[in-house]
Amino acid sequence: MCGRIFYKYSLKELRIYFPDLQIPFSQEQFPANYNLAPAAAIPVIHQSHHGLALNFFTWGLIPSWSKNVPTKPLFNARTETIYEKPSFRDSYRYRRCIVPVSGFFEWKALAKEKKPYVVTYQKPKIMFLAGIWDHWMHANGSEVLSVSVLTTGANALLQEIHHRMPVLLAEKDFSDWWKSPQTADSLLVPAPIQGMHKYRSNPIVNRSTSNSPACIAEDSEMSLFPE
């Protein structure tokens, strides 16, 4: 599962991976965001008529054929059934995308509560989540671009927290991801644990309205960022 993300990288850092990426806004319009939940606008790298572009999409896929916005946001899509679900099938075949983040949150269920964890890389770098997108026309004529993050079984690092995790793409995977669905299929597996890192984070992130560095504070820093 992947229900919260955060990003704090710069557009300059993103261009290291995608030198020709079209970005229609400035760094000032792209401030760090430490707690993004479904229904929020999140950054998405997608294919356009002029190459790869970065834009903000609504997190929660709305199929183009849907008459209404789904009651529950379709923010995750299971890879095991991606070809079976009408909501996701065509988007996977024709509209695969990448969601660049700095990390994501997951909650470990305990006896009486859930504890939040941050999952990121040991060395600060951008984490790329595999996604699918679609475009939907509102009754008022406005277009809504939306995205869902693909999930798979958890790797050994994440299994003690949750049984699912987002599909992570390495830089070497990018070209295959944009090819045919059959080529992309081979990437729908749990990420290797090498280089990944998880830690208990500040419970302040439980409030979806919280948005500050306090959300990703480690155990040792929590006294600086009380709940």
Side-chain angles (χ1 to χ4, degrees):
M1 185 174 178
C2 180
R4 296 284 182 89
I5 62 172
F6 69 96
Y7 61 84
K8 58 188 184 73
Y9 55 82
S10 68
L11 295 178
K12 184 177 180 180
E13 290 175 280
L14 190 57
R15 285 195 184 278
I16 294 175
Y17 299 90
F18 300 95
D20 300 320
L21 185 65
Q22 301 169 55
I23 304 177
F25 41 81
S26 66
Q27 182 61 57
E28 289 69 29
Q29 297 169 304
F30 192 72
N33 197 312
Y34 296 92
N35 188 11
L36 283 158
I42 64 174
V44 173
I45 298 172
H46 63 103
Q47 292 178 311
S48 71
H49 294 300
H50 305 288
L52 294 180
L54 178 73
N55 282 291
F56 285 97
F57 287 17
T58 298
W59 189 9
L61 193 101
I62 308 173
S64 59
W65 44 261
S66 180
K67 294 182 179 180
N68 300 291
V69 177
T71 305
K72 294 183 178 180
L74 304 176
F75 58 93
N76 283 167
R78 293 176 65 93
T79 56
E80 295 87 347
T81 55
I82 200 70
Y83 285 108
E84 302 169 18
K85 301 292 185 180
S87 296
F88 305 129
R89 185 171 52 214
D90 285 349
S91 287
Y92 179 69
R93 285 172 175 163
Y94 307 115
R95 291 178 294 276
R96 293 180 300 283
C97 61
I98 296 175
V99 180
V101 302
S102 295
F104 61 94
F105 297 94
E106 191 52 82
W107 277 258
K108 181 177 182 178
L110 300 176
K112 297 182 179 180
E113 58 183 335
K114 292 184 177 181
K115 296 291 186 180
Y117 281 75
V118 163
V119 183
T120 184
Y121 287 126
Q122 292 173 345
K123 294 182 179 180
K125 65 177 183 177
I126 302 175
M127 179 178 280
F128 297 98
L129 312 184
I132 54 176
W133 67 279
D134 209 337
H135 46 80
W136 178 74
M137 297 301 297
H138 194 280
N140 62 15
S142 61
E143 182 182 41
V144 178
L145 300 177
S146 58
V147 63
S148 185
V149 171
L150 299 182
T151 67
T152 185
N155 61 19
L157 181 73
L158 275 294
Q159 284 174 358
E160 66 170 283
I161 303 175
H162 199 277
H163 65 285
R164 305 289 297 176
M165 69 178 293
V167 173
L168 306 184
L169 300 174
E171 187 175 3
K172 64 179 178 60
D173 299 327
F174 294 162
S175 61
D176 284 343
W177 183 242
W178 303 121
K179 292 179 183 177
S180 68
Q182 291 72 29
T183 304
D185 286 348
S186 64
L187 306 176
L188 305 181
V189 295
I193 65 173
Q194 289 76 18
M196 292 186 67
H197 176 52
K198 75 174 188 298
Y199 61 85
R200 274 276 313 282
S201 63
N202 195 327
I204 195 174
V205 74
N206 292 338
R207 295 195 293 269
S208 60
T209 54
S210 299
N211 182 10
S212 73
C215 293
I216 60 172
E218 295 195 45
D219 285 349
S220 59
E221 302 171 324
M222 284 188 191
S223 60
L224 302 176
F225 304 104
E227 248 187 289

